[in-house]
Every structure is written in structure tokens, then in C-alpha cells.
Amino acid sequence: PLDGRVEMDDAYLGGERTGGKRGRGSPGKMPIIAAVETTKDGKPVRLKIRRIQRFGKKEVKALAGKILKTSATVVTDGLACFRGIAEAGCTHAPVIVAKAANHSEKLPCFKWVNTTLSNIKCAILGTYRAVRKHAGRTLAEFEYRFNRRFDLTTIIPRLGWVSVRTQPMPYRLLKLAEDSA
């Protein structure tokens, strides 16, 4: 779990559809939450990025209980669903962002979470055509590489070690995991 100062933000994955609703709740978009643990001097340490069903307080509370330690101080943009962080036992430090003034992308307190979100969106758009089908695995891959970026020489041996010790799984179970992720 992440600890210390954590930047957390919401985002959507998915492309535009012609003739559909724009913004929150539009079809074809997948809600995700990204959380980046930072050091005292503001450098990113680790990342957790997860799909959720919708941006609701109950979903955020459950997610915070899984990915955050209760001693974490979480900085968010003040979206109503992030009130679930305090209910999960963490310290919540919302920075209310007015649309008329500055967007959260421009504030330095959200630098690393916005940087990682833009990096993953660009990586997905540059690599994959259909994001929805394998989004859970794509996000997990990005998180894995981000969290091990300090020791790049161990990524391939560690991946080999894990793959040799992982039990085979039939395709029908792999597909089931994608549908429920």
C-alpha cells in the first residue's frame, strides 16, 4: 500500500464516439483512479492505478482501503467521491479546483499524478487500438514498469521468475478475468 504524501486523481480511458454524450458518464469511457506516492521533496516513488465501476464515494472508500495505508495523506482535487478517502481512515487534503480559475493539471500539487496519467494515455493510444478489452492488464503493465523503474536490469529476470512459477490458466478463465476487471 502507498504511504506518506499521495497525489490522487480521477480520469477516463476510452476514445470519442460520434454522436454520443460528452464528459462524465458518456458511453465507451472507463473510469480509473491513479495514486502516486511522493517523497518529501516531491519525487514520485510508486504508482497504483485501478479501474472502478464509477466515481462514487463507496467505490473510492473501498479502493483507498486496498491501496493506501491509514497513515497516508492524500491530496485530491476535491471531487465529491474522494470524501471516501477520509472514511477509509486516511488523511484527506482536498485542493478545491475551480473550473474558471486553474485546472488541476496546472497546479504543482498534482504534478506527478497528472504526468503519469498523461503518459499512460499516450502509451495506450500509441500502442493499442481497443483499450476497453484489455485495459486491466494494460494498466497493470504500466504500473509494474513504473514501480520498478529504478532497477531496470531486474525487470526481465523478475518477469521470468514470476512466469515460471505461475500456474497455467485456461483461456476461458483469462477471458472471465477481463470481463470482471
Side-chain angles (χ1 to χ4, degrees):
L2 303 179
D3 197 9
R5 183 184 179 279
V6 177
E7 299 174 15
M8 187 180 278
D9 203 5
D10 60 300
Y12 283 102
L13 285 181
E16 294 180 13
R17 291 186 178 179
T18 56
K21 177 185 169 191
R22 297 180 59 199
R24 294 193 179 276
S26 63
K29 291 190 177 184
M30 179 185 328
I32 61 171
I33 290 189
V36 178
E37 178 183 340
T38 59
T39 62
K40 295 205 184 285
D41 58 339
K43 303 290 185 205
V45 180
R46 292 183 304 140
L47 166 74
K48 299 283 184 183
I49 187 161
R50 299 288 187 271
R51 289 174 52 182
I52 59 173
Q53 291 298 315
R54 62 183 195 91
F55 293 121
K57 190 165 64 168
K58 286 195 302 188
E59 287 84 357
V60 172
K61 178 182 176 182
L63 180 66
K66 292 177 187 175
I67 68 170
L68 300 171
K69 289 187 178 179
T70 55
S71 56
T73 301
V74 184
V75 180
T76 69
D77 60 3
L79 188 65
C81 67
F82 288 129
R83 293 185 194 136
I85 294 169
E87 291 182 9
C90 301
T91 303
H92 183 214
V95 176
I96 306 302
V97 180
K99 285 193 176 199
N102 285 331
H103 292 283
S104 67
E105 298 90 21
K106 298 177 183 174
L107 297 176
C109 59
F110 299 114
K111 176 183 179 181
W112 291 111
V113 72
N114 287 322
T115 300
T116 56
L117 282 171
S118 64
N119 286 347
I120 193 167
K121 285 181 178 184
C122 286
I124 288 172
L125 287 174
T127 308
Y128 303 102
R129 290 182 60 105
V131 177
R132 247 183 127 64
K133 188 173 182 183
H134 301 289
R137 291 190 179 128
T138 304
L139 295 173
E141 173 196 352
F142 186 85
E143 180 182 315
Y144 182 88
R145 285 185 289 126
F146 184 90
N147 291 338
R148 287 155 182 84
R149 71 193 183 284
F150 295 118
D151 195 6
L152 296 176
T153 59
T154 63
I155 287 181
I156 300 297
R158 173 115 175 106
L159 183 61
W161 187 86
V162 170
S163 62
V164 166
R165 285 162 182 78
T166 302
Q167 294 293 322
M169 185 177 286
Y171 178 73
R172 65 180 174 79
L173 294 179
L174 286 173
K175 187 162 175 53
L176 179 68
E178 282 298 327
D179 293 337
S180 64

